[in-house]
Amino acid sequence: MASGFFVLLDDIAAIMDDVAVMSKIAAKKTAGILGDDLAVNAEKASGFASSRELPVLWAISKGSLLNKIIILPIAFLLSAFLPIAIIVILVLGGLFLAYEGAEKIYEYFVPHEKESEGITEETFTEEEILEAEKGKIKSAIVTDFILSVEIVIIALGTVIGKPILSQIVVVSIVAVIATIGVYGIVALIVRMDEAGYKLIKFSKKEKSISKFIGNILVKALPLVIKGLTVIGTLALLLVAGGIFVHYIPFFHHYVPQINIPTIIKEFIVGLVLGFIVLVIINLFKKIIGKKAH
């Protein structure tokens, strides 16, 4: 009886050891997409009033966790019974990411009217601010959903052939790390200036280490946000291009023959398809607009 109990414990320990090893491999495989996820979500979570940053970020984090809860069981079922659906979902998600990246580049280089142009912060009512927040939160959660699908699928690919319980545990661990890790770092980034101001107030001396570090944090935040905006846009196109190159036979077989680095290939493919989708959507909007008039 006692020996059987210890054998059971030994089996559990062996399983946990395998899970730990597989989780480490899966985390390494998804490291690139996690970096992209961080850049994209840091850019999405910025631009709010200081007092609203953490509540908004918490709302996005909850949405991200819900995304994982929805994606995980569907991914396991599709992987087992309809593998082709995984590829279709990835490609559709890639088109959305490419479109978002191309749209950001288009809006930067091509002058256009903005709906909020000429409206000062003082003219917003509390209801309008909350409505604007809801729109940005929704956009962030939609983007997170697509990136989460990519993270889950990549992690799942590292444990294909393993027992279903191991697959569930490993991919779930990676999904939780992705949510807590990414949004934890994003929270630190968007609160840099607040931490800086507190450090400045901490010391009454004119010259002190706390004031020096505080000033650096306050001055660095706008640069970090601008940098993350650029990195986030590039990340959208790279993730999308990576999906197209790996999962669309045409790009997988012909694009790699071009003698340029893989990262450049993926960026070019993501950019080109992103602008194709952008043109199609803009034409569709114009057609709908004319019909409405």
Side-chain angles (χ1 to χ4, degrees):
M1 185 79 175
S3 62
F5 176 72
F6 285 114
V7 168
L8 178 61
L9 287 179
D10 188 56
D11 289 342
I12 292 171
I15 292 170
M16 293 306 293
D17 187 53
D18 288 342
V19 166
V21 172
M22 288 186 289
S23 297
K24 187 176 180 181
I25 294 170
K28 284 183 179 179
K29 290 282 186 180
T30 56
I33 189 73
L34 287 174
D36 295 338
D37 198 12
L38 171 62
V40 171
N41 284 296
E43 189 271 326
K44 289 275 187 182
S46 62
F48 297 99
S50 179
S51 61
R52 297 295 305 160
E53 285 174 344
L54 290 182
V56 167
L57 191 57
W58 174 240
I60 297 172
S61 301
K62 287 191 292 184
S64 176
L65 186 60
L66 181 60
N67 284 341
K68 306 294 192 304
I69 292 171
I70 294 169
I71 292 166
L72 286 171
I74 294 174
F76 294 132
L77 289 171
L78 290 178
S79 178
F81 300 107
L82 193 61
I84 190 65
I86 297 291
I87 297 174
V88 172
I89 292 168
L90 279 173
V91 171
L92 291 175
L95 289 172
F96 176 80
L97 294 176
Y99 164 74
E100 275 214 327
E103 187 182 40
K104 287 178 181 294
I105 294 173
Y106 174 78
E107 289 179 351
Y108 180 80
F109 286 104
V110 179
H112 62 288
E113 292 183 6
K114 295 182 179 179
E115 290 182 5
S116 60
E117 197 170 25
I119 300 176
T120 61
E121 192 174 347
E122 289 78 10
T123 62
F124 283 114
T125 64
E126 187 177 348
E127 290 77 14
E128 287 172 333
I129 292 171
L130 291 174
E131 193 62 32
E133 283 183 4
K134 286 180 182 177
K136 198 163 185 181
I137 289 168
K138 185 178 179 181
S139 173
I141 292 173
V142 169
T143 303
D144 175 272
F145 184 88
I146 295 164
L147 290 170
S148 294
V149 169
E150 179 74 357
I151 290 168
V152 168
I153 297 305
I154 291 173
L156 188 59
T158 65
V159 290
I160 291 296
K162 300 292 182 181
I164 187 64
L165 180 60
S166 296
Q167 290 186 31
I168 292 171
V169 173
V170 170
V171 178
S172 298
I173 287 172
V174 172
V176 170
I177 290 172
T179 302
I180 296 174
V182 167
Y183 286 100
I185 295 171
V186 171
L188 291 175
I189 291 172
V190 299
R191 299 301 288 176
M192 275 176 61
D193 55 345
E194 287 297 314
Y197 287 127
K198 287 183 179 179
L199 284 172
I200 291 170
K201 291 178 181 179
F202 180 75
S203 178
K204 294 181 180 179
K205 294 180 181 179
E206 190 65 31
K207 291 183 179 180
S208 65
I209 294 175
S210 64
K211 280 193 175 181
F212 177 74
I213 295 172
N215 283 318
I216 288 177
L217 290 174
V218 171
K219 292 176 182 177
L221 181 61
L223 298 175
V224 171
I225 296 299
K226 285 181 181 179
L228 286 172
T229 301
V230 175
I231 294 170
T233 301
L234 294 175
L236 289 169
L237 295 171
L238 284 171
V239 172
I243 292 171
F244 302 141
V245 169
H246 287 96
Y247 293 101
I248 297 179
F250 174 79
F251 295 115
H252 184 70
H253 293 297
Y254 293 103
V255 174
Q257 294 179 10
I258 303 171
N259 191 25
I260 56 175
T262 302
I263 192 170
I264 303 297
K265 296 173 191 172
E266 292 177 351
F267 176 77
I268 292 172
V269 171
L271 183 65
V272 170
L273 289 184
F275 271 103
I276 290 172
V277 176
L278 179 66
V279 169
I280 292 170
I281 289 176
N282 283 345
L283 286 173
F284 182 75
K285 286 180 178 177
K286 285 183 179 180
I287 292 169
I288 295 297
K290 285 180 180 179
K291 285 185 177 181
H293 284 299

Short mmCIF file of all heavy atoms in Angstrom, two decimals, residues 112-124:
data_model
loop_
_atom_site.label_atom_id
_atom_site.label_comp_id
_atom_site.label_asym_id
_atom_site.label_seq_id
_atom_site.Cartn_x
_atom_site.Cartn_y
_atom_site.Cartn_z
N HIS A 112 -4.53 63.55 -43.12
CA HIS A 112 -5.96 63.25 -43.16
C HIS A 112 -6.62 63.86 -41.93
O HIS A 112 -5.97 64.15 -40.94
CB HIS A 112 -6.22 61.74 -43.18
CG HIS A 112 -5.71 61.04 -41.97
ND1 HIS A 112 -4.38 60.84 -41.73
CD2 HIS A 112 -6.37 60.50 -40.91
CE1 HIS A 112 -4.22 60.20 -40.58
NE2 HIS A 112 -5.41 60.00 -40.06
N GLU A 113 -7.91 64.07 -42.05
CA GLU A 113 -8.66 64.65 -40.93
C GLU A 113 -8.92 63.61 -39.87
O GLU A 113 -9.20 62.46 -40.17
CB GLU A 113 -10.00 65.22 -41.43
CG GLU A 113 -9.84 66.44 -42.32
CD GLU A 113 -11.18 67.01 -42.73
OE1 GLU A 113 -12.21 66.52 -42.21
OE2 GLU A 113 -11.21 67.93 -43.55
N LYS A 114 -8.81 64.05 -38.65
CA LYS A 114 -9.12 63.17 -37.52
C LYS A 114 -10.39 63.65 -36.85
O LYS A 114 -10.64 64.84 -36.75
CB LYS A 114 -7.97 63.19 -36.50
CG LYS A 114 -6.68 62.60 -37.05
CD LYS A 114 -5.60 62.59 -35.97
CE LYS A 114 -4.31 61.99 -36.49
NZ LYS A 114 -3.23 62.00 -35.48
N GLU A 115 -11.18 62.70 -36.39
CA GLU A 115 -12.46 63.04 -35.79
C GLU A 115 -12.29 63.88 -34.53
O GLU A 115 -13.09 64.73 -34.22
CB GLU A 115 -13.22 61.76 -35.44
CG GLU A 115 -13.71 61.01 -36.67
CD GLU A 115 -14.49 59.78 -36.30
OE1 GLU A 115 -14.74 59.56 -35.09
OE2 GLU A 115 -14.87 59.02 -37.19
N SER A 116 -11.18 63.66 -33.81
CA SER A 116 -10.96 64.38 -32.56
C SER A 116 -10.18 65.67 -32.75
O SER A 116 -9.86 66.34 -31.80
CB SER A 116 -10.21 63.48 -31.57
OG SER A 116 -8.95 63.10 -32.12
N GLU A 117 -9.83 66.03 -34.02
CA GLU A 117 -9.01 67.19 -34.28
C GLU A 117 -9.75 68.45 -33.84
O GLU A 117 -10.92 68.66 -34.12
CB GLU A 117 -8.70 67.25 -35.78
CG GLU A 117 -7.54 68.18 -36.09
CD GLU A 117 -7.10 68.04 -37.53
OE1 GLU A 117 -7.91 67.64 -38.37
OE2 GLU A 117 -5.93 68.36 -37.80
N GLY A 118 -9.03 69.34 -33.14
CA GLY A 118 -9.60 70.60 -32.68
C GLY A 118 -10.37 70.51 -31.39
O GLY A 118 -10.92 71.50 -30.94
N ILE A 119 -10.43 69.35 -30.82
CA ILE A 119 -11.16 69.19 -29.55
C ILE A 119 -10.16 69.15 -28.42
O ILE A 119 -9.27 68.31 -28.40
CB ILE A 119 -11.99 67.90 -29.54
CG1 ILE A 119 -13.00 67.93 -30.67
CG2 ILE A 119 -12.71 67.72 -28.21
CD1 ILE A 119 -13.80 66.66 -30.81
N THR A 120 -10.27 70.06 -27.49
CA THR A 120 -9.35 70.09 -26.35
C THR A 120 -9.86 69.19 -25.24
O THR A 120 -11.02 68.82 -25.22
CB THR A 120 -9.21 71.53 -25.81
OG1 THR A 120 -10.50 71.97 -25.37
CG2 THR A 120 -8.67 72.48 -26.87
N GLU A 121 -8.93 68.87 -24.33
CA GLU A 121 -9.29 67.95 -23.25
C GLU A 121 -10.42 68.51 -22.39
O GLU A 121 -11.23 67.79 -21.83
CB GLU A 121 -8.04 67.68 -22.39
CG GLU A 121 -8.22 66.53 -21.43
CD GLU A 121 -6.94 66.19 -20.72
OE1 GLU A 121 -5.88 66.68 -21.15
OE2 GLU A 121 -7.00 65.46 -19.72
N GLU A 122 -10.45 69.86 -22.31
CA GLU A 122 -11.44 70.49 -21.44
C GLU A 122 -12.86 70.35 -21.99
O GLU A 122 -13.83 70.48 -21.25
CB GLU A 122 -11.12 71.99 -21.26
CG GLU A 122 -9.89 72.26 -20.40
CD GLU A 122 -8.58 72.05 -21.16
OE1 GLU A 122 -8.63 71.89 -22.39
OE2 GLU A 122 -7.52 72.03 -20.51
N THR A 123 -12.98 70.13 -23.31
CA THR A 123 -14.32 70.06 -23.91
C THR A 123 -14.97 68.69 -23.75
O THR A 123 -16.14 68.53 -24.05
CB THR A 123 -14.26 70.41 -25.41
OG1 THR A 123 -13.43 69.43 -26.07
CG2 THR A 123 -13.69 71.79 -25.64
N PHE A 124 -14.21 67.69 -23.32
CA PHE A 124 -14.76 66.35 -23.14
C PHE A 124 -15.57 66.26 -21.86
O PHE A 124 -15.12 66.69 -20.80
CB PHE A 124 -13.64 65.30 -23.09
CG PHE A 124 -13.07 64.97 -24.43
CD1 PHE A 124 -11.76 65.31 -24.74
CD2 PHE A 124 -13.82 64.31 -25.39
CE1 PHE A 124 -11.22 64.99 -25.97
CE2 PHE A 124 -13.30 63.99 -26.62
CZ PHE A 124 -11.99 64.34 -26.92
#
